[in-house]
Amino acid sequence: MNAMQQHMIDAYRAAQRGEAAPPLPGAGDVRALRALRDWRRFEAVVTAPADRLPARLRRAVRSLLSPRTAVSAPVGHRPYPGEEVRENAPHIGGSPAQCG
């Protein structure tokens, strides 16, 4: 049974009971779409770009699709204080490598 047939049955039942007829199918669609548009505009103003739903979804999809590899130090990584530095290791962080 489609929506129009159901509406006709509901309208008949309402008329038998002396009640108001239900609204036509799709009568509130435009109002709902406008409310959704207004909400998205409001959300765009008050929410940081990185916290919006599309950005969160992209991050989630990227994390699911990216291969699970060990995290290595970024290029140019300098050791933290107290971290051991090998003497003959090449240094990429901006100073020339020590050759010896």
Side-chain angles (χ1 to χ4, degrees), residues 56-68:
R56 291 194 318 252
L57 289 175
R58 279 193 301 271
R59 282 195 307 265
V61 168
R62 254 188 250 130
S63 69
L64 289 174
L65 297 179
S66 66
R68 305 262 187 236

Side-chain angles (χ1 to χ4, degrees), residues 2-4 6-7 22-34:
N2 69 27
M4 190 52 121
Q6 183 64 47
H7 178 266
L24 287 170
D29 291 352
V30 172
R31 186 176 12 177
L33 290 174
R34 284 183 182 148

Side-chain angles (χ1 to χ4, degrees), residues 2-59:
N2 69 27
M4 190 52 121
Q5 290 171 336
Q6 183 64 47
H7 178 266
M8 290 171 61
I9 292 171
D10 292 342
Y12 175 77
R13 187 178 302 132
Q16 293 296 320
R17 295 178 180 172
E19 301 170 353
L24 287 170
D29 291 352
V30 172
R31 186 176 12 177
L33 290 174
R34 284 183 182 148
L36 179 63
R37 180 196 62 195
D38 292 344
W39 173 253
R40 301 243 343 174
R41 287 179 177 174
F42 170 76
E43 187 181 33
V45 171
V46 298
T47 308
D51 293 335
R52 293 187 194 138
L53 183 63
R56 291 194 318 252
L57 289 175
R58 279 193 301 271
R59 282 195 307 265

Side-chain angles (χ1 to χ4, degrees), residues 65-89:
L65 297 179
S66 66
R68 305 262 187 236
T69 58
V71 178
S72 61
V75 175
H77 169 72
R78 292 184 180 263
Y80 295 107
E83 193 174 67
E84 184 178 310
V85 178
R86 294 181 305 194
E87 289 298 321
N88 293 332

